Amino acid sequence: KKLQRLEKKYQCTINDIALCVIAGALRKYLLALDELPEENLQTLMPIDIRREGEDGHMGNQVSVARISLHTTIDDPKARLQAISKLSSHHKSRTRQGDPHALLKLVDDIHPAIVLWLGQLLVSSGLIDKLPQMVNTVVTNVPGMRHDAYLAGAKLVDYLGFGPLAPNMGLFHTVSSTADHVNISFLTTGEFMGDGSAYRAALMESYAEVSLL
């Protein structure tokens, strides 16, 4: 209900609120380490472009947007409004363009070629020399519209996880049920230790955003 209130009050989406919480957590976590960049951190956000009635179609049906997390903004309200405005702009551009074109091209490339190229970039060290385009990934996994059961047991909660990649050591998944939303993250010990400090930052950031 808190999230629904924020949606209505600020004319935003659940995903915008989640991005604001994550941005606040990254800001707190990096400030504690005295490593917060002067520039805004960027996230890669997959966008589902599968049209209604296309659930049975094979192939990639996802576009991506590069979105600023506005981590230079301390005030949660101003940060949420900035993120909401920017994400709405990206969604509008996706609808106006033809996001399927590039994805159809990717579908036509043999998987072995894609795998070989990835292995070459990693083994040669070229991946580490490429400019850092984004700092993390945030993907939204919508909850089921109806109750789900397995052998009579009702699904009450679930968590999503996404893959890490070279130069990408932090992946967020926003998943939802009928009554609440989860923000889970996947990282490595080398990147964020045991993750407890970042988890605490997420909880503190959510507490601030929920009071808006």
Side-chain angles (χ1 to χ4, degrees):
K1 292 183 178 180
K2 288 182 179 180
L3 299 182
Q4 292 173 343
R5 177 183 61 80
L6 289 175
E7 277 188 292
K8 184 176 181 180
K9 182 176 180 179
Y10 294 102
Q11 296 296 301
C12 61
T13 66
I14 292 293
N15 206 51
D16 295 334
I17 298 170
L19 287 173
C20 184
V21 170
I22 290 169
L26 286 170
R27 178 181 169 84
K28 293 177 183 298
Y29 179 81
L30 292 173
L31 275 175
L33 298 174
D34 196 25
E35 293 184 4
L36 180 68
E38 295 182 359
E39 301 81 16
N40 287 313
L41 296 180
Q42 308 290 319
T43 183
L44 191 69
M45 186 176 73
I47 300 174
D48 184 9
I49 57 174
R50 191 184 302 273
R51 297 187 179 91
E52 189 173 353
E54 290 185 340
D55 289 343
H57 286 206
M58 298 295 290
N60 295 304
Q61 295 291 315
V62 177
S63 182
V64 291
R66 179 171 175 262
I67 294 181
S68 171
L69 289 172
H70 292 285
T71 46
T72 58
I73 301 177
D74 181 37
D75 179 49
K77 177 181 176 180
R79 190 191 318 125
L80 175 60
Q81 291 173 327
I83 289 174
S84 178
K85 181 179 179 180
L86 190 61
S87 63
S88 297
H89 171 69
H90 279 290
K91 291 173 185 175
S92 176
R93 288 183 57 187
T94 299
R95 295 191 190 100
Q96 292 172 5
D98 182 14
H100 293 81
L102 179 58
L103 297 178
K104 288 177 181 176
L105 176 62
V106 172
D107 276 342
D108 290 336
I109 300 176
H110 195 283
I113 297 177
V114 177
L115 180 61
W116 169 80
L117 179 59
Q119 291 175 336
L120 175 64
L121 288 173
V122 173
S123 61
S124 66
L126 292 175
I127 191 71
D128 296 322
K129 298 178 182 179
L130 294 176
Q132 189 80 12
M133 299 300 294
V134 294
N135 306 101
T136 185
V137 175
V138 180
T139 184
N140 186 358
V141 182
M144 298 181 184
R145 297 180 181 179
H146 308 287
D147 290 340
Y149 294 84
L150 177 63
K154 181 181 178 180
L155 173 69
V156 295
D157 203 359
Y158 71 98
L159 296 175
F161 292 95
L164 299 179
N167 277 349
M168 183 60 61
L170 180 61
F171 194 110
H172 299 86
T173 304
V174 181
S175 54
S176 59
T177 65
D179 58 358
H180 68 278
V181 176
N182 295 316
I183 298 178
S184 55
F185 66 93
L186 182 65
T187 186
T188 67
E190 181 181 4
F191 201 70
M192 276 190 165
D194 64 2
S196 59
Y198 185 59
R199 179 178 180 273
L202 276 169
M203 295 178 67
E204 185 178 348
S205 179
Y206 169 74
E208 291 179 351
V209 173
S210 66
L211 293 177
L212 294 179

